[in-house]
Amino acid sequence: MIKIRRLNDNLNIEGKRILLRVDFNVPMNDDSITEDSRIKKVLPTIKYLINEKAKIIIIAHLGRPKGKIVPKLTLKPIAKKLSEYVNHDVMFLNESIGSLVVENSKKLPNGKVMLLENLRFHKEEELNSESFAKELSKIGDIYVNEAFPCSHRAHASVSEITKHISSFAGQQLIEELNIIKMLTENTKKPATCIIGGSKISTKSGVIINLIKKMQNIIIVGGMANIFIKHKGYNIGKSIFEENQENLIEGIIRESKKNNCKLILPEDVVISKNHNSKGLLKNLDDVNDQDLILDIGKKTLKNINKVIDESKTVLWNGPAGYFEIDEFSTGSKEIAKKISENTKNKSLVSIAGGGDTIAAIKKFKFSDGFTYLSTAGGAFLELLEGKILPGIKALEKNE
Ligand code: 3PG
Ligand code: MG
């Protein structure tokens, strides 16, 4: 157990520039925010800093612009949303480093908030660059990490930065970390992990490690397609990642070795495109023109049975394209089943990740889970038993 420095009441922060790293990587539809749990989650900290009359400079990322300026991934709409929550105009700067930013950070009145542009417009952020972290450190007197959902990334604003400025963990980060640890340390068995999302390559390490801890792993969403293809079925025009055969074989092999049941879709809902009607199909019947957009009834029945037999269920990644009603049944029914069992059979359930939380909220099952985490990848890596780089970076040296 590492000891981390916490932001606390003994620090005199009046007039000090607090460089606050948050995770505002929220689901967006053009420039409107479709789900804002991650913003709401850190409001207590922002309001605390406002009350303490600090100058609050917020840094964050949105999407994966890969070091380029991608106008639709600007954080500007978030400044607008934040202004409503803090009851004053949040100043937005379309840069995240440099002399203009430093100048403005100093001029910011006490108790006011400023938001900087998407950190990932600079490639140095994801490279955990020392010089970029040094530039960032000039914008604050004290750094606070309140970005639990991206603390599994060894990026400059989460990791390297703590070497160059007095650094602390925020209250929400500590709370989320402690709750997830408490609920998962002595997991009640059988334990099941439901994993969705589009890319297998980003989650294969997590899956391999979870296979050793879980009795069941259920794979849904876009990443299930490659398993279906691997079994020799046609997946038509559905999304899948090329050249992942070794990963898939590794996952199948490890699950057998560790006696972990791997549950995959047996039937699917397809469509010709995202806007036309869904059609239930057996895997055998999928043709070249089909696009798999949800799991089918037989699959759901299997999943419900596994949930019924489980004492712990962890969920990250929707089962289908839940934003469109036609393809939302899989995610909705999973949320419903978990919620019923949490209420009636004392199932311990945790769901995490931006899209997963958005789905659960959409179907109004938020109060049916033991805990909803704002984090997806970080939540899964914590389950693996990893020490997250962002948390490690806050370790006390004394
Ligand atoms: C997330 O949403 O998972 C975090 O904000 C981290 O983003 P990333 O997965 O693009 O690194
Ligand atoms: Mg992620």
Side-chain angles (χ1 to χ4, degrees):
M1 183 78 183
I2 60 169
K3 286 196 169 145
I4 51 181
R5 274 172 205 271
R6 301 156 177 251
L7 180 66
N8 63 46
D9 297 334
N10 301 332
L11 282 172
N12 180 10
I13 53 173
E14 184 172 339
K16 295 260 168 63
R17 294 171 306 152
I18 306 292
L19 186 63
L20 183 67
R21 176 48 156 123
V22 298
D23 192 321
F24 284 167
N25 194 18
V26 290
M28 308 269 293
N29 190 357
D30 292 329
D31 58 1
S32 76
I33 300 161
T34 51
E35 209 287 308
D36 68 351
S37 299
R38 284 182 170 178
I39 301 178
K40 286 203 182 122
K41 182 84 186 177
V42 296
L43 284 179
T45 303
I46 297 175
K47 288 186 176 162
Y48 167 78
L49 296 170
I50 292 174
N51 277 337
E52 296 291 311
K53 301 190 182 66
K55 301 174 192 288
I56 305 126
I57 300 114
I58 300 183
I59 49 174
H61 75 277
L62 180 64
R64 292 176 176 167
K66 299 207 162 76
K68 298 216 169 64
I69 297 176
V70 178
K72 75 174 201 308
L73 293 177
T74 175
L75 287 173
K76 199 167 179 188
I78 296 180
K80 216 169 127 208
K81 187 81 197 165
L82 202 54
S83 303
E84 290 167 24
Y85 286 135
V86 299
N87 290 322
H88 70 250
D89 265 342
V90 169
M91 184 191 209
F92 177 74
L93 291 189
N94 54 13
E95 233 322 349
S96 53
I97 49 161
S99 53
L100 193 75
V101 179
V102 176
E103 223 173 274
N104 275 287
S105 71
K106 289 181 180 158
K107 280 199 293 207
L108 189 69
N110 292 359
K112 293 283 190 267
V113 181
M114 175 167 110
L115 176 66
L116 305 183
E117 186 54 291
N118 194 339
L119 290 162
R120 291 190 182 174
F121 285 176
H122 293 270
K123 67 175 186 319
E124 293 81 1
E125 161 66 357
E126 294 190 51
L127 294 172
N128 203 20
S129 141
E130 183 183 350
S131 58
F132 187 67
K134 276 187 181 159
E135 283 301 309
L136 284 175
S137 71
K138 292 179 191 161
I139 306 163
D141 303 308
I142 290 172
Y143 165 84
V144 177
N145 180 352
E146 198 58 293
F148 176 66
C150 58
S151 289
H152 60 316
R153 302 291 183 216
H155 291 175
S157 67
V158 188
S159 177
E160 178 67 23
I161 179 121
T162 64
K163 294 186 189 152
H164 309 285
I165 178 172
S166 172
S167 300
F168 298 87
Q171 206 51 47
Q172 308 308 314
L173 175 137
I174 291 171
E175 189 191 289
E176 201 153 353
L177 193 65
N178 286 345
I179 292 180
I180 297 177
K181 278 196 168 165
M182 185 188 81
L183 291 173
T184 55
E185 234 149 33
N186 298 306
T187 318
K188 287 201 273 171
K189 291 177 182 171
T192 298
C193 195
I194 307 173
I195 305 185
S198 55
K199 287 191 176 162
I200 190 72
S201 59
T202 58
K203 286 189 184 158
S204 66
V206 174
I207 297 176
I208 297 268
N209 281 331
L210 286 177
I211 281 172
K212 296 170 191 146
K213 303 194 166 196
M214 300 281 141
Q215 284 64 56
N216 307 292
I217 303 252
I218 300 174
I219 299 191
V220 290
M223 73 163 70
N225 294 342
I226 185 141
F227 286 89
I228 300 175
K229 192 172 154 61
H230 182 80
K231 282 187 178 177
Y233 294 104
N234 190 354
I235 57 165
K237 295 185 295 180
S238 315
I239 49 160
F240 80 99
E241 276 180 288
E242 305 265 5
N243 307 324
Q244 303 298 327
E245 290 304 303
N246 286 346
L247 285 185
I248 303 300
E249 276 159 21
I251 290 171
I252 295 172
R253 199 174 45 241
E254 285 298 311
S255 66
K256 282 189 187 137
K257 197 169 113 195
N258 290 279
N259 233 341
C260 169
K261 216 161 125 195
L262 197 60
I263 295 110
L264 297 162
E266 286 188 13
D267 58 349
V268 289
V269 175
I270 62 94
S271 183
K272 295 300 164 205
N273 58 58
H274 294 90
N275 300 314
S276 49
K277 234 182 132 37
L279 192 67
L280 179 66
K281 278 195 174 183
N282 279 324
L283 295 181
D284 278 331
D285 301 327
V286 175
N287 66 42
D288 289 351
Q289 303 311 313
D290 292 344
L291 197 55
I292 300 173
L293 293 171
D294 198 7
I295 51 173
K297 280 188 187 155
K298 240 190 285 173
T299 309
L300 255 177
K301 212 172 145 195
N302 281 345
I303 294 177
N304 282 348
K305 187 165 167 277
V306 174
I307 295 174
D308 271 336
E309 290 162 1
S310 302
K311 292 214 161 60
T312 306
V313 173
L314 310 159
W315 181 20
N316 168 252
Y321 193 26
F322 75 92
E323 292 89 342
I324 308 237
D325 289 346
E326 193 75 12
F327 313 111
S328 65
T329 310
S331 305
K332 186 175 176 178
E333 292 299 316
I334 291 176
K336 184 165 171 240
K337 187 73 188 170
I338 296 177
S339 168
E340 281 169 4
N341 287 10
T342 305
K343 284 182 178 165
N344 306 328
K345 297 184 169 179
S346 59
L347 169 75
V348 175
S349 58
I350 313 180
D355 290 335
T356 316
I357 303 301
I360 292 168
K361 291 216 162 146
K362 180 176 175 186
F363 309 130
K364 307 208 167 17
F365 289 114
S366 318
D367 62 351
F369 284 71
T370 314
Y371 188 64
L372 291 184
S373 170
T374 53
F379 159 62
L380 289 179
E381 289 196 21
L382 206 63
L383 293 183
E384 284 180 75
K386 277 194 180 162
I387 296 180
L388 310 182
I391 309 293
K392 177 108 182 85
L394 297 167
E395 202 169 2
K396 277 187 193 171
N397 294 322
E398 68 267 28

